[in-house]
Amino acid sequence: MDNLIIAGKTYSSRLLVGTGKYKDFAETRASIDASGAQIITVAIRRTNIGQNPGEPNLLDILPPSEYTLLPNTAGCYTVDDAVRTLRLARELLDGHSLVKLEVLGDPKTLFPNMVETLKAAEILVKEDFQVMVYTSDDPILARQLEEIGCVAVMPLASLIGSGMGILNPWNLQIIIDNAKVPVIVDAGVGTASDAAIAMELGCDGVLMNTAIAAAQKPVLMASAMRKAVEAGREAYLAGRMAKKFYSASPSSPVTGAISSSSKDRAA
Amino acid sequence: MLKTNTSPNALMMQVTLNGQPQRFDTTLNILQLLDYMTLQGKRIAVERNGEIVPRSQFGEQMLADGDRLEIVVAVGGG
């Protein structure tokens, strides 16, 4: 079996999905089921004081017994906020230590602040968190995050929520070639072909949210993404043919075609 | 917003709850606070003055004037 292994745990799906931006919990659940994802990200937020006591909880819809929940630090701009958020997440999820670290640097672009990310990663690894880390697509930073002890590096394909696809496949290729931990493209995927391209490059997985949630038909897009990730992975494993700009080589036999001229046409 | 006693002799206590100042004129522990907030039994986590409060200690830790509390839940996110 071709499985994804993160921090010693085996997953058959290489598609990781977020749980934000859906119109309701029913759509969230249906999309996640269609995606086949086993690892799903959740955010940690303050309770609304005085909220409706009957309000459903995300964890009732997506129970930790069925999925590997990946609490994130979305919205955190400092080391302190990110670390505190994940300590709360670990308490909330009964000691579950697999987390997604992201420390943002700019509210307009949601570009990560890599200086703060490196510091937060060090603290979290020392506290025995298993850190999957959102990073810019800089191969040196990705290597440093791996050296710190992160269990997966997750470079952006393009900016969070942008749907711009893979802007720098060359950087991703360098990160993939050098990494000994799983490389998961996180952010920027817009449609199924983007996910397939990421997998064809040799990424170990793809994490997305908006590409599914903001599609006209999220459940159908979730299914498309599942297939794209599987197709891209198989294409990567199969090993693509060499690209040739110009070297005619027909797929059908070059001899024996009927012809009004007396000689076979060389192809 | 939260139900409190209105005894004139009661000690006023102010805590910062999820960034909002809240006044209480009764002593209470974290479990009682969650009860007031109709959060008891819900999947939440509590941080008090920067430190995680394990669920097992909710009934033991009394709130003190000036406490800063964060009470969080999991929500949809990417």
Side-chain angles (χ1 to χ4, degrees):
Chain A
M1 270 300 279
D2 172 46
N3 289 318
L4 172 63
I5 298 172
I6 298 174
K9 198 173 165 195
T10 299
Y11 304 91
S12 55
S13 171
R14 292 176 179 273
L15 174 57
L16 294 72
V17 299
T19 55
K21 299 183 180 172
Y22 289 99
K23 77 169 194 277
D24 54 33
F25 280 155
E27 188 182 73
T28 310
R29 174 76 202 223
S31 298
I32 287 163
D33 286 348
S35 77
Q38 295 166 297
I39 301 177
I40 60 177
T41 63
V42 297
I44 304 298
R45 287 292 179 272
R46 286 168 163 170
T47 55
N48 291 325
I49 297 167
Q51 74 180 6
N52 174 9
E55 206 171 291
N57 184 306
L58 182 70
L59 300 186
D60 298 332
I61 312 301
L62 302 167
S65 55
E66 286 180 53
Y67 303 92
T68 296
L69 296 185
L70 189 63
N72 70 25
T73 58
C76 292
Y77 286 80
T78 66
V79 171
D80 190 49
D81 285 350
V83 170
R84 284 172 60 204
T85 297
L86 292 178
R87 287 178 186 147
L88 278 162
R90 182 156 65 179
E91 179 64 21
L92 181 67
L93 299 173
D94 306 317
H96 169 86
S97 61
L98 187 71
V99 295
K100 170 179 164 178
L101 171 66
E102 58 182 292
V103 187
L104 301 176
D106 172 38
K108 210 167 171 180
T109 60
L110 302 179
F111 231 99
N113 181 329
M114 293 311 300
V115 175
E116 299 280 297
T117 301
L118 286 162
K119 288 182 199 160
E122 259 183 82
I123 294 169
L124 291 165
V125 168
K126 278 194 189 124
E127 294 186 15
D128 296 324
F129 282 93
Q130 295 169 321
V131 181
M132 300 175 69
V133 60
Y134 177 59
T135 174
S136 61
D137 62 1
D138 181 315
I140 307 307
L141 291 171
R143 188 180 70 200
Q144 288 177 338
L145 288 164
E146 182 177 339
E147 285 165 359
I148 285 169
C150 293
V151 299
V153 292
M154 305 203 290
L156 52 79
S158 48
L159 296 179
I160 292 173
S162 71
M164 292 289 287
I166 298 169
L167 299 187
N168 195 339
W170 308 104
N171 273 28
L172 285 181
Q173 193 69 69
I174 296 171
I175 293 172
I176 292 162
D177 286 352
N178 293 324
K180 291 178 199 71
V181 295
V183 176
I184 291 165
V185 157
D186 180 3
V189 165
T191 189
S193 53
D194 297 332
I197 289 169
M199 296 307 294
E200 286 171 13
L201 285 171
C203 286
D204 296 281
V206 180
L207 198 169
M208 65 181 74
N209 187 343
T210 311
I212 296 173
Q216 303 300 308
K217 295 178 182 172
V219 179
L220 190 56
M221 186 58 89
S223 164
M225 291 299 186
R226 173 186 201 151
K227 290 168 184 165
V229 167
E230 286 173 4
R233 178 65 182 177
E234 286 186 4
Y236 167 74
L237 292 175
R240 62 153 298 147
M241 63 166 282
K243 284 182 184 176
K244 288 172 285 189
F245 170 59
Y246 197 93
S247 171
S249 169
S251 300
S252 304
V254 296
T255 56
I258 62 163
S259 171
S260 53
S261 78
S262 55
K263 281 165 67 177
D264 277 335
R265 224 176 286 252
Chain B
M1 176 176 302
L2 297 175
K3 196 168 61 180
T4 56
N5 295 329
T6 48
S7 152
N9 298 326
L11 177 79
M12 261 314 220
M13 172 173 70
Q14 180 165 313
V15 303
T16 305
L17 186 56
N18 287 352
Q20 303 287 326
Q22 298 279 344
R23 288 175 176 280
F24 300 97
D25 55 8
T26 177
T27 58
L28 74 171
N29 61 34
I30 289 173
L31 205 57
Q32 289 165 325
L33 173 71
L34 295 177
D35 205 26
Y36 278 134
M37 297 174 70
T38 65
L39 287 173
Q40 232 199 92
K42 296 278 165 72
R43 277 190 164 271
I44 49 110
V46 179
E47 180 198 73
R48 181 189 184 196
N49 301 327
E51 302 288 330
I52 298 295
V53 183
R55 226 164 289 165
S56 56
Q57 289 180 23
F58 284 177
E60 295 156 30
Q61 290 210 15
M62 302 302 294
L63 295 191
D65 192 43
D67 273 357
R68 287 175 296 108
L69 287 155
E70 297 285 352
I71 303 178
V72 299
V73 286
V75 301

